[in-house]
């Protein structure tokens, strides 16, 4: 499977500031990456689909102006949480699809965001 | 809205016991994946099933995709403490590569 990294693994920020999370595909070029959010004791919720070279596609209820996604290269997608609030505190996870079995997704280790 | 419901939500069993986790939906999925997630980490892919009625085995884990591709099950034989974790099923939506995740089954295997 694909190897995916995320940075940072943990971040604490103050309310009102912005935070950028990086997702890197380390061993292949990913035209499509996905961003998920997971609250404690809950499952993963898809936030958006990140397409290289084009605008991200957001799921219903996800504010595109609050969660800015940039997929400028085939190995890097970034998620910026703008004007973060405590309710944005969550576990953010990215995933990539690979090659012929594109329905299989390989996940990064996640980023724990805490907004104080 | 397509939903995937998993049952049970939580399972605590003794080492050596067998268990089955179910994943059900009223929708048809192009494919279905099973993942296991450890606390503070991303999900790890266990298996993908694509064909209705398909059965796949991964050591002590047996996965089955329903004939109508609306449901799936995961059976673990002789569970071990190392099997402890959150098990998630995820269905692919309309061959779009987007996944809808089930609610998850939290498994605890006591030594």
């Amino acid at each position: 499977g694909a190897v995916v990294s995320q940075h940072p693994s943990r971040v604490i920020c103050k309310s009102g500031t912005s935070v950028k999370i990086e997702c890197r595909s380390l061993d292949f070029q990913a035209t499509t990456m996905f961003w998920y959010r997971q609250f404690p004791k809950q499952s993963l919720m898809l936030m958006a689909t990140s397409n290289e070279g084009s605008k991200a596609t957001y799921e219903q209820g996800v504010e595109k102006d609050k969660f800015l996604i940039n997929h400028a290269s085939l190995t890097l997608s970034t998620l910026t949480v703008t004007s973060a609030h405590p309710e944005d505190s969550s576990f953010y996870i990215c995933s990539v699809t690979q090659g012929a079995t594109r329905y299989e997704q390989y996940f990064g280790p996640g980023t724990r965001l805490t907004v104080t | 809205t397509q939903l995937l419901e998993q049952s049970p939500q939580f399972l605590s069993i003794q080492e050596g016991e067998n268990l089955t986790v179910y994943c059900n939906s009223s929708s048809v999925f192009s494919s279905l994946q099973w993942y296991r997630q450890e606390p503070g980490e991303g999900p790890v892919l266990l298996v993908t099933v694509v064909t209705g009625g398909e059965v796949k085995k991964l050591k002590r884990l047996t996965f089955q995709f329903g004939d109508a591709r609306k449901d799936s099950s995961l059976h673990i034989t002789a569970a071990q403490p190392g099997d402890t974790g959150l098990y998630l099923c995820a269905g692919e939506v309309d061959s779009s590569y987007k996944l809808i995740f089930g609610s998850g089954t939290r498994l605890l295997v006591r030594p």
Side-chain angles (χ1 to χ4, degrees), chain A residues 88-107:
Chain A
D88 298 324
S89 298
S90 188
F91 194 50
Y92 292 87
I93 315 174
C94 69
S95 71
V96 305
T97 59
Q98 178 184 25
T101 55
R102 290 181 61 185
Y103 42 73
E104 296 178 343
Q105 292 185 20
Y106 297 90
F107 287 82

Side-chain angles (χ1 to χ4, degrees), chain A residues 1 4 7 13-14 21 24 35 38-39 43-45 57 59 72-74 77 86 93 95 103-104:
Chain A
V4 182
H7 178 79
C13 70
K14 292 186 177 181
I21 301 170
R24 292 183 184 274
W35 286 96
Q38 185 177 31
F39 291 109
S43 188
L44 278 71
M45 293 296 293
T57 304
E59 294 302 300
S73 78
L74 290 172
S77 176
I93 315 174
S95 71
Y103 42 73
E104 296 178 343

Side-chain angles (χ1 to χ4, degrees), chain B residues 11-65:
Chain B
L11 193 56
S12 178
I13 61 172
Q14 202 71 37
E15 181 177 2
E17 293 184 359
N18 302 331
L19 67 118
T20 302
V21 176
Y22 299 94
C23 178
N24 295 295
S25 176
S26 58
S27 302
V28 176
F29 292 100
S30 309
S31 67
L32 191 138
Q33 286 83 50
W34 284 92
Y35 293 85
R36 187 171 81 186
Q37 185 180 24
E38 305 285 347
E41 298 179 11
V44 175
L45 179 66
L46 295 175
V47 79
T48 299
V49 284
V50 180
T51 307
E54 183 176 4
V55 176
K56 281 191 174 179
K57 291 191 175 184
L58 184 65
K59 296 183 180 179
R60 295 176 293 101
L61 279 61
T62 302
F63 305 85
Q64 184 164 10
F65 202 10

Side-chain angles (χ1 to χ4, degrees), chain A residues 62-99:
Chain A
V62 178
E63 300 175 56
K64 62 180 181 180
D65 294 329
K66 180 169 184 61
F67 299 99
L68 301 178
I69 292 173
N70 184 284
H71 193 160
S73 78
L74 290 172
T75 59
L76 174 64
S77 176
T78 61
L79 168 68
T80 301
V81 183
T82 63
S83 187
H85 289 96
E87 57 265 32
D88 298 324
S89 298
S90 188
F91 194 50
Y92 292 87
I93 315 174
C94 69
S95 71
V96 305
T97 59
Q98 178 184 25

